[in-house]
Amino acid sequence: MDFTVAQIAKMIDHSILRPEFTAEDVRKGCAIAAKYEVASVCVRPCDVPLAVQLLRASSVEVGTVIGFPHGDTHTAIKVAETELAIYQGATEIDMVLNVGWLRSGHIDAVEREIVAVIEAAKGAPVKVILENAYLTNEQKLAACWAAERAGAAFVKSSTGFAPTGATIDDLALMRSAVSAKVRVKASGGVRSLDQLVAMAAVGVTRFGSSATEAILEDLARRTRIELAHLRAA
């Protein structure tokens, strides 16, 4: 394995987004994030203050979701959500674009909304969620181009709440659509180390997953086995 546990950890946004999660579930999720020093947690908007408090002493960023999971709230609401999240200490923003507008061909409106959220984020990186399950390849490309023109830091495959999530084909298409200054995030069904490594091979550099501990412990186990084989050779 070419990656270390620390390297993979810094590619993961640990997802704590399920609607039924309690405050204790959020605390447990943040403890996992801090233990492995992942890139960030991605929490529900109502959990931003708690996550900021819990992770203050760590290097883990606190991210949240905007217009989640359907993307169809009014632009003004998405802007207000973003402003409040930043005020409460969020440092990364994952926004769902307006899927209906995109499918209707209203690309200018999609782009304007992304710009509005980016401005409200005040320099925090914004990840634009396409929700690929509902899009044609042409629509995925159009969304990626609009996100880059708007100034997004990432394009992201999925919310994890649609019928399907991240696929290698979609991620490769997204990577081909944007320049090197825009990164690609895979989310939705990223549950194993092998999946993550395969996605990294097509240019993905950030992963949203709730299976963080299992992925990183699997890598640690494989690394120990490799080291043992080397010592025995």
Side-chain angles (χ1 to χ4, degrees), residues 220-233:
R221 179 186 60 81
R222 296 192 202 189
T223 301
R224 288 193 296 270
I225 290 171
E226 288 179 4
L227 287 173
H229 286 165
L230 286 172
R231 289 176 184 138

Coordinates of all heavy atoms in Angstrom, one line a residue, residues 220-233:
A220 N -4.1 0.2 8.6 CA -3.1 -0.1 9.7 C -2.8 -1.6 9.7 O -1.6 -1.9 9.9 CB -3.6 0.4 11.0
R221 N -3.8 -2.4 9.6 CA -3.6 -3.8 9.7 C -2.7 -4.3 8.5 O -1.8 -5.1 8.7 CB -4.9 -4.5 9.7 CG -4.9 -6.1 9.7 CD -6.2 -6.7 9.5 NE -6.9 -6.3 8.3 CZ -6.6 -6.9 7.1 NH1 -5.7 -7.9 7.0 NH2 -7.2 -6.5 6.0
R222 N -3.1 -3.8 7.3 CA -2.3 -4.2 6.1 C -0.9 -3.7 6.2 O 0.1 -4.4 5.8 CB -3.0 -3.7 4.9 CG -4.3 -4.2 4.6 CD -4.8 -3.8 3.2 NE -6.2 -3.9 3.0 CZ -6.8 -3.7 1.8 NH1 -6.1 -3.5 0.7 NH2 -8.2 -3.8 1.8
T223 N -0.7 -2.6 6.8 CA 0.7 -2.0 6.9 C 1.5 -2.9 7.9 O 2.7 -3.2 7.6 CB 0.6 -0.6 7.4 OG1 -0.1 0.2 6.5 CG2 2.0 0.0 7.6
R224 N 0.9 -3.3 9.0 CA 1.6 -4.2 9.9 C 2.0 -5.5 9.2 O 3.1 -6.0 9.5 CB 0.7 -4.5 11.1 CG 0.5 -3.3 12.0 CD 0.0 -3.7 13.4 NE -1.4 -4.2 13.3 CZ -2.5 -3.4 13.3 NH1 -2.4 -2.1 13.5 NH2 -3.7 -4.0 13.2
I225 N 1.1 -6.1 8.4 CA 1.4 -7.3 7.7 C 2.5 -7.1 6.8 O 3.4 -8.0 6.7 CB 0.1 -7.8 7.0 CG1 -0.9 -8.3 8.0 CG2 0.4 -9.0 6.1 CD1 -2.3 -8.6 7.4
E226 N 2.5 -6.0 6.0 CA 3.6 -5.8 5.0 C 4.9 -5.6 5.8 O 6.0 -6.2 5.3 CB 3.3 -4.5 4.2 CG 2.2 -4.7 3.2 CD 1.9 -3.4 2.5 OE1 2.6 -2.4 2.7 OE2 0.9 -3.4 1.7
L227 N 4.9 -4.9 6.9 CA 6.2 -4.7 7.6 C 6.7 -6.1 8.2 O 7.9 -6.3 8.2 CB 5.9 -3.8 8.8 CG 5.8 -2.3 8.4 CD1 5.4 -1.4 9.6 CD2 7.1 -1.8 7.8
A228 N 5.8 -6.9 8.6 CA 6.1 -8.2 9.1 C 6.8 -9.1 8.0 O 7.8 -9.8 8.3 CB 4.9 -8.9 9.7
H229 N 6.2 -9.0 6.8 CA 6.7 -9.8 5.7 C 8.1 -9.3 5.3 O 9.0 -10.1 5.0 CB 5.8 -9.7 4.5 CG 4.6 -10.5 4.6 ND1 3.5 -10.3 3.9 CD2 4.2 -11.5 5.5 CE1 2.5 -11.2 4.2 NE2 3.0 -11.9 5.2
L230 N 8.3 -8.0 5.4 CA 9.6 -7.4 5.0 C 10.7 -7.8 6.0 O 11.8 -8.1 5.7 CB 9.5 -5.8 5.0 CG 8.8 -5.3 3.8 CD1 8.6 -3.7 4.0 CD2 9.6 -5.5 2.5
R231 N 10.3 -7.8 7.3 CA 11.3 -8.2 8.3 C 11.6 -9.7 8.3 O 12.7 -10.1 8.6 CB 10.7 -7.9 9.7 CG 10.6 -6.4 10.0 CD 9.9 -6.2 11.4 NE 9.8 -4.8 11.6 CZ 8.7 -4.2 12.1 NH1 7.6 -5.0 12.4 NH2 8.6 -2.9 12.3
A232 N 10.6 -10.5 7.8 CA 10.9 -11.9 7.7 C 11.7 -12.3 6.4 O 12.2 -13.4 6.4 CB 9.5 -12.7 7.7
A233 N 11.7 -11.4 5.5 CA 12.3 -11.7 4.2 C 13.9 -11.7 4.3 O 14.5 -11.1 5.2 CB 11.9 -10.7 3.2

